[in-house]
């Protein structure tokens, strides 16, 4: 089994002075220097008291310093625990109790903003941050020292090699430990029962190798992203990883992100972010990135209307949709052509990648296993396979076709309705940009089924008007030929855009239900 840290350091040794990482300041960090800084950080943390198995609450924005610190923690035998400081005080406390970290690593700005002096200001701005400095752990701060950083906190910059950031220690002689815990990611759960995925150095190493191969990454490639899921495979493959100036959020300022695509060969987006970039290209505010060969999109369902627009805007770029989850990533990759030429029900996501084993349960639930499957959930027994909660079928070539989600199932009378079986087909209707099939339960638990439709828009953002009847009526007339009679919605509701949740832009079904109730 491939060890995450060993894979990165072997690549550093092979690539030498080639550029490994370039941050928002434009200064490249070579592979040789990357290895030295990881080594220096690991040795300094060990000298500062970090022990094998120590967990580190990690709240540092993507940057070269972030990557060095995270890999240095793993090299010292520690575990990186990704923490969202904006999760709310109760949930943060529950997650902290479950992870039981001995260390915290956060940006100095976060320490300052969450401290007693600034807390009133941040609360007035709607930010309810936990007091990081008050956590009973050892502290590491990233960035320049600011008031609020606890006394005795270690500087990430000094850990990596002194005041000027230059590491002087020899490369680390890594002992491969693929079974050692390396990463904890909270995924769901309540304050009473938070849930976190645990990955080992081996499961992460296998994941990076699969992604690097699936993305056809190698020396000379330039990968523009702040997503670890593509950035770390770039390092393993010997490519050059460049980072946007503010974190990967083109929906906020797509022009600033898109400027970094000049010279890039690969990038990763979510559907929401891709739509923002496509809009820029369509309106002429962004030239077509000529060097961009591969664009990966994932994190939420990738539907036909967006893929069609993206192919028109980026004709020289191969667009591929990645299917996976925190527990096992990646699972499969589908080309835009595979998805757009699919004329049956459901959403094709490609065949299982090498090393991925897929099977269907009696009710059609998809189960996955492989070398890059996570170790399990924090505080629970190890996993041998992952029950995805996705309902699927396997076609005659073994490719996975998603047909719904168990937890998204709607119940009307004696009929179970799975929205994912129908939404990709309905999203292809003329004049439609996106759809969601929502169930609004009545007092006995029976669902009133509502199809919520967002109209397609012109390049200037104005909803496109097609000749004929209003959109809701045209959609309603088309439904009997497209979906089962038992799944026909009781109502078709047109809204300007579907509400989404989280960074990935998945449809916020709770918000949609509230919206439907308000229009009922």
């Amino acid at each position: 089994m491939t060890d995450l840290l060993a894979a990165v350091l072997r690549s550093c040794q092979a690539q030498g002075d080639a550029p490994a990482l370039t941050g928002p300041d434009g200064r490249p960090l070579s592979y040789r220097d990357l290895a030295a800084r990881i080594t220096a950080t690991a040795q300094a943390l060990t000298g500062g008291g970090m022990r094998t198995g120590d967990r580190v609450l990690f709240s540092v924005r993507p940057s070269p310093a972030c990557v060095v610190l995270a890999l240095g923690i793993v090299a010292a035998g520690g575990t990186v625990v990704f923490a969202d400081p904006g999760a709310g005080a109760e949930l943060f406390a529950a997650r902290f109790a479950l992870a039981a970290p001995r260390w915290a690593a956060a940006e100095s700005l976060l320490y300052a903003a969450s401290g007693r002096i600034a807390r009133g200001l941040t609360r007035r701005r709607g930010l309810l941050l936990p007091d990081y400095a008050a956590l009973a752990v050892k502290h590491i701060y990233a960035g320049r020292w600011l008031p609020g950083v606890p006394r005795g906190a270690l500087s990430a910059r000094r850990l990596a090699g002194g005041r000027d950031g230059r590491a002087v220690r020899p490369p680390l002689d890594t002992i491969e430990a693929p079974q050692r815990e390396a990463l904890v990611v909270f995924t769901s759960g309540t304050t009473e029962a938070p849930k976190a995925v645990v990955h080992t150095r081996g499961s992460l190493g296998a994941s990076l190798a699969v992604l690097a191969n699936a993305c056809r990454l190698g020396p000379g490639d330039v990968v523009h992203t702040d997503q670890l899921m593509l950035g770390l495979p770039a390092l393993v493959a010997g490519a050059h990883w460049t980072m946007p100036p503010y974190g990967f959020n083109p929906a906020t300022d797509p022009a600033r992100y898109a400027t970094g695509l000049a010279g890039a060969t690969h990038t990763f987006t979510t559907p929401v972010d891709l739509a923002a970039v496509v809009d820029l290209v369509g309106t002429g505010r962004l030239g077509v990135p000529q060097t961009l060969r591969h664009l990966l999109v994932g994190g939420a369902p990738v539907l036909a209307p967006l893929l069609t627009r993206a192919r028109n805007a980026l004709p020289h770029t191969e667009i591929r949709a990645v299917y996976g989850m925190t527990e096992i990533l990646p699972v499969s990759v589908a080309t835009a052509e595979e998805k757009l030429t699919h004329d049956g029900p459901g959403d094709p996501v490609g065949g299982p990648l090498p090393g991925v084993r897929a099977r269907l349960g009696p009710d059609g639930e998809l189960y996955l296993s492989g070398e890059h499957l996570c170790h399990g959930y924090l505080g629970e027994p190890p996993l041998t396979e992952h029950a995805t909660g996705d309902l699927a079928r396997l076609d005659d070539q073994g490719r996975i076709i998603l047909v719904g989600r168990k937890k998204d199932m709607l119940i009307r009378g004696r009929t179970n309705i799975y929205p994912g079986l129908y939404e990709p087909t309905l999203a292809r209707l003329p004049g439609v940009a996106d759809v969601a099939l929502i169930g609004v339960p009545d007092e006995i638990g029976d669902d009133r089924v509502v199809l919520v439709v967002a109209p397609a828009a012109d390049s200037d953002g104005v909803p496109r008007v097609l000749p004929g009847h209003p959109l809701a009526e045209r959609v309603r007339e088309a439904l009997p030929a497209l979906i089962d009679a038992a799944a026909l919605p009781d109502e078709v509701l047109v809204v300007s855009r579907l509400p989404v949740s989280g960074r990935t832009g998945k449809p916020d079904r709770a918000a949609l239900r509230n919206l439907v109730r308000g229009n009922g």
Side-chain angles (χ1 to χ4, degrees):
M1 182 179 287
T2 303
D3 181 289
L4 158 73
L5 189 66
V8 171
L9 292 180
R10 278 198 298 268
S11 182
C12 290
Q13 185 176 22
Q15 299 304 317
D17 291 322
L21 262 168
T22 297
D25 60 8
R27 290 185 294 180
L29 180 68
S30 73
Y31 274 94
R32 192 183 311 278
D33 285 341
L34 175 63
R37 293 187 186 195
I38 293 170
T39 298
T41 299
Q43 292 177 347
L45 287 172
T46 301
M50 182 169 287
R51 303 193 299 261
T52 298
D54 280 1
R55 296 194 182 116
V56 184
L57 205 65
F58 199 87
S59 300
V60 182
R61 286 177 296 181
S63 66
C66 162
V67 175
V68 167
L69 180 56
L71 291 175
I73 289 168
V74 173
T79 299
V80 173
V81 180
F82 282 139
D84 177 9
E90 291 185 6
L91 184 55
F92 182 89
R95 290 175 171 178
F96 183 88
L98 177 62
R102 291 190 67 244
W103 297 72
E107 295 187 36
S108 53
L109 183 61
L110 182 55
Y111 280 114
S114 63
R116 276 175 267 181
I117 296 176
R119 182 171 296 180
L121 176 61
T122 56
R123 282 182 180 274
R124 286 195 295 273
R125 292 175 177 249
L127 298 173
L128 302 176
L129 300 174
D131 188 348
Y132 265 63
L135 298 175
V137 295
K138 296 183 177 182
H139 294 273
I140 306 166
Y141 70 94
R144 300 174 59 184
W145 184 91
L146 291 174
V149 171
R151 182 174 298 178
L154 302 177
S155 163
R157 182 183 300 175
R158 292 184 181 179
L159 290 173
R163 290 180 179 273
D164 58 2
R166 291 182 300 173
V168 295
R169 294 168 175 80
L172 184 69
D173 182 15
T174 306
I175 299 174
E176 296 202 23
Q179 302 302 324
R180 185 174 292 171
E181 182 184 287
L183 177 67
V184 172
V185 183
F186 286 96
T187 59
S188 60
T190 64
T191 55
E192 292 78 21
K195 203 172 188 68
V197 171
V198 179
H199 273 285
T200 64
R201 283 164 56 162
S203 65
L204 290 174
S207 178
L208 301 186
V210 171
L211 266 169
N213 183 64
C215 301
R216 300 197 287 275
L217 284 168
D221 288 328
V222 179
V223 178
H224 186 62
T225 184
D226 73 353
Q227 297 291 298
L228 295 176
M229 68 158 284
L230 186 58
L232 288 177
L235 296 181
V236 170
H240 181 191
W241 177 6
T242 67
M243 291 183 167
Y246 60 99
F248 190 35
N249 192 4
T252 299
D253 191 347
R256 292 187 67 193
Y257 156 70
T259 56
L261 292 176
T265 59
H266 295 69
T267 192
F268 173 85
T269 78
T270 64
V272 169
D273 295 343
L274 176 58
V277 173
V278 168
D279 285 343
L280 275 181
V281 174
T283 57
R285 288 178 289 167
L286 171 68
V288 177
Q290 297 295 327
T291 61
L292 190 63
R293 301 197 311 267
H294 299 282
L295 187 152
L296 301 182
V297 56
V302 187
L303 300 181
L306 176 59
L307 282 175
T308 300
R309 292 177 57 214
R311 284 208 312 179
N312 292 336
L314 306 169
H316 307 298
T317 301
E318 181 179 342
I319 302 170
R320 310 178 82 194
V322 180
Y323 171 63
M325 52 224 58
T326 307
E327 289 85 354
I328 179 169
L329 179 73
V331 172
S332 59
V333 176
T335 66
E337 287 71 22
E338 285 179 286
K339 295 178 78 68
L340 289 173
T341 56
H342 177 75
D343 58 2
D347 183 17
V349 295
L353 290 168
V356 176
R357 296 180 293 277
R359 73 173 183 89
L360 300 180
D363 61 352
E365 183 175 6
L366 180 65
Y367 288 79
L368 299 167
S369 59
E371 277 196 345
H372 57 296
L373 175 67
C374 68
H375 175 73
Y377 296 105
L378 195 58
E380 298 182 20
L383 285 178
T384 56
E385 65 177 358
H386 173 54
T388 64
D390 287 333
L391 298 171
R393 60 183 175 86
L394 302 177
D395 68 9
D396 54 6
Q397 298 181 51
R399 294 175 299 192
I400 302 169
I401 312 293
L402 300 182
V403 299
R405 286 284 295 167
K406 290 180 73 171
K407 67 179 181 181
D408 290 338
M409 182 184 73
L410 313 181
I411 301 175
R412 182 167 59 187
R414 297 185 179 182
T415 302
N416 296 338
I417 301 171
Y418 298 99
L421 180 62
Y422 306 108
E423 289 170 346
T425 300
L426 299 179
R428 295 188 178 97
L429 286 170
V432 172
D434 208 351
V435 300
L437 206 57
I438 300 298
V440 182
D442 62 17
E443 64 275 9
I444 62 172
D446 201 35
D447 282 325
R448 176 169 65 95
V449 179
V450 179
L451 177 63
V452 185
V453 177
D458 293 321
S459 58
D460 57 2
V462 177
R464 190 176 303 137
V465 178
L466 298 181
H469 300 302
L471 182 59
E473 186 174 344
R474 284 190 286 107
V475 169
R476 191 179 296 108
E477 290 175 352
L479 289 176
L482 297 176
I483 66 177
D484 297 335
L488 287 172
D490 302 297
E491 179 185 353
V492 176
L493 176 65
V494 177
V495 299
S496 59
R497 59 185 301 179
L498 299 187
V500 297
S501 61
R503 250 192 110 265
T504 58
K506 293 181 179 179
D508 187 338
R509 296 183 183 272
L512 280 168
R513 279 190 287 273
N514 290 334
L515 181 65
V516 169
R517 290 188 183 99
N519 282 270

